[in-house]
Amino acid sequence: MGKAGTVLKQVLDTYRISQNKLAVAMGIGRSSINRWVNENRDPSGDAILQIRKGLNKINSAAAEEFIRLYLDESEEDELVDQE
């Protein structure tokens, strides 16, 4: 699975935001958040934007961190360099 779930889990843990709180802020079921965090399913591009908006309602720093980590390509660059 993709990077979004891992990054989302890290941000939720760091900022102590529950999956339920984010789900309420996004207006979706907690099961969707749970699937993303446990990497059972990747969020769509539209969902990434909704995650950012939901996090922003709760904590703007968490929203910024989510996007920063999600867009950070340094890990991917390291993998390419090793090949």
Side-chain angles (χ1 to χ4, degrees), residues 29-61:
R30 189 191 63 79
S31 61
S32 293
I33 307 292
N34 188 270
R35 280 192 221 88
W36 298 332
V37 167
N38 290 310
E39 298 182 34
N40 295 324
R41 177 171 287 176
D42 287 331
S44 67
D46 288 340
I48 296 292
L49 296 175
Q50 294 303 316
I51 291 167
R52 183 186 58 81
K53 287 179 183 178
L55 286 170
N56 200 47
K57 288 179 184 178
I58 300 165
N59 184 323
S60 61

Side-chain angles (χ1 to χ4, degrees), residues 57-80:
K57 288 179 184 178
I58 300 165
N59 184 323
S60 61
E64 290 175 21
E65 182 79 353
F66 173 72
I67 293 300
R68 186 185 68 75
L69 291 171
Y70 180 68
L71 294 178
D72 182 16
E73 296 178 359
S74 62
E75 292 177 17
E76 294 167 9
D77 290 344
E78 287 176 18
L79 292 175
V80 171

Side-chain angles (χ1 to χ4, degrees), residues 10-23:
Q10 181 179 342
V11 169
L12 293 178
D13 289 347
T14 299
Y15 290 89
R16 297 182 179 171
I17 299 170
S18 71
Q19 292 178 25
N20 190 61
K21 188 169 188 173
L22 178 57

